[in-house]
Amino acid sequence: SGLTTAKSLSMKGISCTIYDRNPKLGGVWADGYHGFGVQIPKDLYEFPDFPLPEKVPHYTPGPEFQKYMEDYCDHFCIRDCLQLDTRIIALQRSGDGWVLEVDNKSGANSVQADLVVVATGLYSGTPQMPEVEGRDQFQGEVLHNSQVKDIEILRGRRVAVVGYGKSAGDIAGAAIGVADKVHLVFRSTHWPVPRKLLGLLPFKWGMLTRLVAAMIPPYVRPTPIVRFLHTAGYPLPWIFWRVVELLLRTQQKLGTRIAKGKNLIPKHPIEFDAYSEVTMVPRPGFIESIRAGEISAHRSGLRRFTENELILEDGDTLPVDCVVFGTGWKTGFEFLPADLRAAMGEESDGIYLYRHILHPGAPNLAFVGRASSFMSVTTFALQARWLSEVVAGNVSLPKEDDMRASIDALRRWKQSWMPEGPARSATLLLHMAHYHDELLVDMGFDPLRKTGFFSPLKELLVPYQASDFRDVV
C-alpha cells in the first residue's frame, strides 16, 4: 500500500517519502515465517499495472513476492522515495500539516509534511499472544509463528500450534516429519476455502463473482435487485449458501472426528463466518494430515500450563516442550496521538473512515491499506489512485456533515451483522466489488470492467482480477 501510494502521488508530480521501520522493503513479505506465501492465485494478488512474471508459481511464495515488490519499486522509479530502517515515533499537528518525529541510525529528527498517508495495514508489529495461566512455570519454549523462520527449530520436539488461521495451519503442516508430535489447538473452526472447488474449479469462480456478491448480506448501499433478493427473494441466497456449505463439508471432509469426538464443522453460517478475521485457505493436504493423525487436532481453549504440559479446557493434557501461537498480530496506531484517534472516533473494532481512506476529524491525514479484501493489492492500488485524484483536485469530497453521515452508515451496517473483531472497521472481503465500484465512480471510471459481446454475462459470472483495473491505476 505504501509503494502504490508513492507511485500514484509521484505521477501527479507530488514529492513524497516512504518511511519503513524494516531494513528491507516489503512489509510482511520481507520477514515471514517458514514457508510463508500468498494464499490466493497470483492473478488476484498482484499490482494491476505490473503483472507478476509468468515463471512465478500460481501461488506466489513469500520471498518471490518480496522480490516482485523490489522490481515494482524500480520499474516506477520510486526507490529514491524510500527511507528504510526508520521508525515513526510520533505524529503531531502543525498548522494544516504535520510534524513527524522519525528515528533511524542517524538519530531522531523532525520532518514537516503537508499530507501524511498511513499505509501500515491492519495490524501492528506486536504479536497477539494470549495470556495463559502458568506460562511462567512452563519449562519448554513459547513462540509466535513469526519466530519460526526455520522449521528445523521444531525438530524432535513435541509441539502444540495454537490457532486455526493460515499461519497456524502452515506451521502445523510444515512441522510434520520434523517434530516428534504435532498438536493443533483451536477454540473454533472456520469454513475452509479450497484452492479448487470440487477439485476442479478455481475458488474465485465460485466465490468472487458479482452473482455471489449479490448473495451475501447486502452492502451498505444495496441495489434494488439485491434488496429484493434479501427480502422477498431471500430463500434463494439462503439455499445457495447451504449448498456451498454442503459442498465444502463433503470436499473438505469437515465431519472428520478429532479429539473428544468433535469435528471441524464451523458453528456459524458461511455467509457470516466469511467475515471473521480468520480466513481459512488451507494448503493442500491440511485436512488429510488431520485425518491421518499426523496432526492431532483439539477443538478446545487453553486452560493452563504446567512444567511440561498444556492443559486444555476440555480436560485433555498435552505433553509438549514447545508451543507456537499462530494467533496473529495486535491492531493499533501507537504513533498517532490519543486526541487524534479520539477525533476519528476510534472504537474497539477500529477507525471507521470515509471510503475507508479519510476522516473529516483528521484533515490531510489519509489511510491506504485499511480495507481487507480478497484482492488487497488491487484494492490498495485503487485507493492510492483515488487519493491522488483527491489531492490533485479531480475528485471532490462531500461536505463534512455528509462525510460523517456516510461513515456513520458504514459503522451501523458493519456492527449490525459482521462478527466482532478489532479490524471489523476495515473488513470488506466479498464486498470488495461494491467498494471498488464506489472508488471508480468517484473517479469517473465505468465500474463495469468486462468487455466484449458477452460483457453483461461476464459481469455477472466471471470473477474480476487485477488486470481488469490496469487502465485505472
Side-chain angles (χ1 to χ4, degrees):
S1 53
L3 294 179
T4 191
T5 300
K7 174 253 182 181
S8 294
L9 292 174
S10 296
M11 290 182 70
K12 295 293 184 183
I14 298 167
S15 175
C16 52
T17 303
I18 307 172
Y19 295 103
D20 196 300
R21 67 188 173 202
N22 296 308
K24 183 167 67 172
L25 71 83
V28 297
W29 301 113
D31 187 26
Y33 54 85
H34 172 85
F36 75 110
V38 180
Q39 61 182 332
I40 59 176
K42 69 179 187 180
D43 55 6
L44 299 180
Y45 202 90
E46 63 180 1
F47 293 105
D49 51 346
F50 190 68
L52 276 158
E54 290 187 10
K55 65 180 181 180
V56 171
H58 198 50
Y59 289 83
T60 313
E64 292 199 41
F65 197 82
Q66 192 278 330
K67 171 62 168 57
Y68 164 69
M69 295 177 75
E70 297 271 7
D71 294 340
Y72 175 91
C73 186
D74 291 331
H75 179 80
F76 289 108
C77 303
I78 54 176
R79 190 169 292 276
D80 288 345
C81 298
L82 290 173
Q83 287 200 22
L84 301 175
D85 211 5
T86 302
R87 184 177 294 273
I88 304 299
I89 303 172
L91 180 69
Q92 297 292 337
R93 175 67 73 186
S94 175
D96 292 333
W98 301 91
V99 172
L100 291 79
E101 296 296 328
V102 302
D103 188 27
N104 55 29
K105 292 179 180 178
S106 301
N109 65 295
S110 298
V111 176
Q112 293 276 347
D114 300 310
L115 169 72
V116 170
V117 182
V118 179
T120 54
L122 304 183
Y123 302 101
S124 70
T126 305
Q128 180 71 44
M129 298 283 280
E131 292 293 331
V132 181
E133 180 186 349
R135 177 175 167 177
D136 56 339
Q137 304 173 17
F138 185 54
Q139 298 299 305
E141 190 171 16
V142 177
L143 303 170
H144 185 259
N145 66 272
S146 60
Q147 297 173 280
V148 186
K149 307 296 184 187
D150 186 342
I151 205 66
E152 285 296 317
I153 68 172
L154 303 182
R155 180 168 294 280
R157 307 176 80 172
R158 297 166 297 166
V159 180
V161 181
V162 180
Y164 200 73
K166 178 182 183 297
S167 60
D170 286 350
I171 295 296
I176 296 172
V178 174
D180 183 55
K181 179 70 176 179
V182 181
H183 299 278
L184 183 66
V185 183
F186 45 90
R187 189 181 297 276
S188 58
T189 61
H190 300 278
W191 290 98
V193 180
R195 291 185 173 183
K196 290 188 177 181
L197 299 172
L198 298 177
L200 301 171
L201 189 68
F203 82 88
K204 64 181 181 180
W205 289 87
M207 301 293 286
L208 302 182
T209 66
R210 286 191 183 271
L211 177 62
V212 173
M215 297 292 182
I216 55 182
Y219 192 53
V220 63
R221 287 169 287 276
T223 64
I225 293 176
V226 170
R227 192 177 294 113
F228 170 80
L229 266 178
H230 291 270
T231 51
Y234 181 68
L236 182 58
W238 186 90
I239 292 171
F240 174 84
W241 290 116
R242 302 295 76 77
V243 171
V244 171
E245 288 180 351
L246 179 61
L247 290 175
L248 293 180
R249 285 181 62 167
T250 303
Q251 179 181 346
Q252 299 290 80
K253 299 179 176 62
L254 301 184
T256 294
R257 292 294 174 183
I258 58 175
K260 297 288 186 178
K262 297 177 182 178
N263 57 40
L264 303 175
I265 299 172
K267 292 181 179 179
H268 302 293
I270 188 172
E271 63 268 37
F272 296 98
D273 184 69
Y275 284 84
S276 67
E277 291 182 29
V278 178
T279 303
M280 189 60 177
V281 186
R283 292 195 177 189
F286 174 73
I287 302 295
E288 289 76 6
S289 295
I290 293 176
R291 287 173 59 83
E294 295 172 321
I295 297 175
S296 178
H298 307 263
R299 190 168 179 170
S300 173
L302 308 180
R303 178 172 294 168
R304 60 187 176 88
F305 283 101
T306 67
E307 287 188 359
N308 303 297
E309 298 170 326
L310 185 60
I311 311 298
L312 307 185
E313 290 179 351
D314 65 6
D316 260 359
T317 299
L318 310 182
V320 294
D321 50 32
C322 182
V323 176
V324 181
F325 283 101
T327 45
W329 305 83
K330 292 184 178 180
T331 59
F333 300 101
E334 62 276 2
F335 55 86
L336 296 181
D339 60 341
L340 179 61
R341 298 201 301 268
M344 292 189 290
E346 184 179 27
E347 300 184 32
S348 60
D349 56 354
I351 298 171
Y352 286 86
L353 304 166
Y354 177 73
R355 295 291 193 260
H356 287 80
I357 299 172
L358 302 175
H359 196 286
N364 295 321
L365 179 71
F367 294 78
V368 173
R370 280 195 58 77
S372 174
S373 81
F374 279 100
M375 296 173 60
S376 58
V377 181
T378 294
T379 300
F380 302 162
L382 292 175
Q383 287 185 313
R385 174 63 194 276
W386 183 92
L387 177 62
S388 73
E389 294 298 331
V390 170
V391 174
N394 298 326
V395 169
S396 299
L397 297 176
K399 296 179 180 178
E400 180 176 332
D401 288 346
D402 292 333
M403 287 180 69
R404 291 187 182 276
S406 177
I407 293 170
D408 289 342
L410 182 70
R411 178 189 294 106
R412 289 194 302 271
W413 171 67
K414 289 192 174 189
Q415 294 181 346
S416 70
W417 69 277
M418 282 189 187
E420 187 175 0
R424 177 169 58 186
S425 59
T427 299
L428 286 167
L429 298 178
L430 298 179
H431 281 292
M432 66 185 183
H434 303 128
Y435 176 61
H436 293 167
D437 288 351
E438 288 181 331
L439 297 179
L440 290 166
V441 170
D442 286 350
M443 292 186 286
F445 290 101
D446 186 352
L448 305 180
R449 314 298 300 160
K450 300 300 183 183
T451 59
F453 182 77
F454 295 104
S455 58
L457 192 61
K458 289 159 69 177
E459 282 291 345
L460 189 65
L461 300 176
V462 178
Y464 271 84
Q465 54 192 27
S467 59
D468 289 313
F469 301 91
R470 187 163 298 157
D471 65 310
V472 176
V473 305

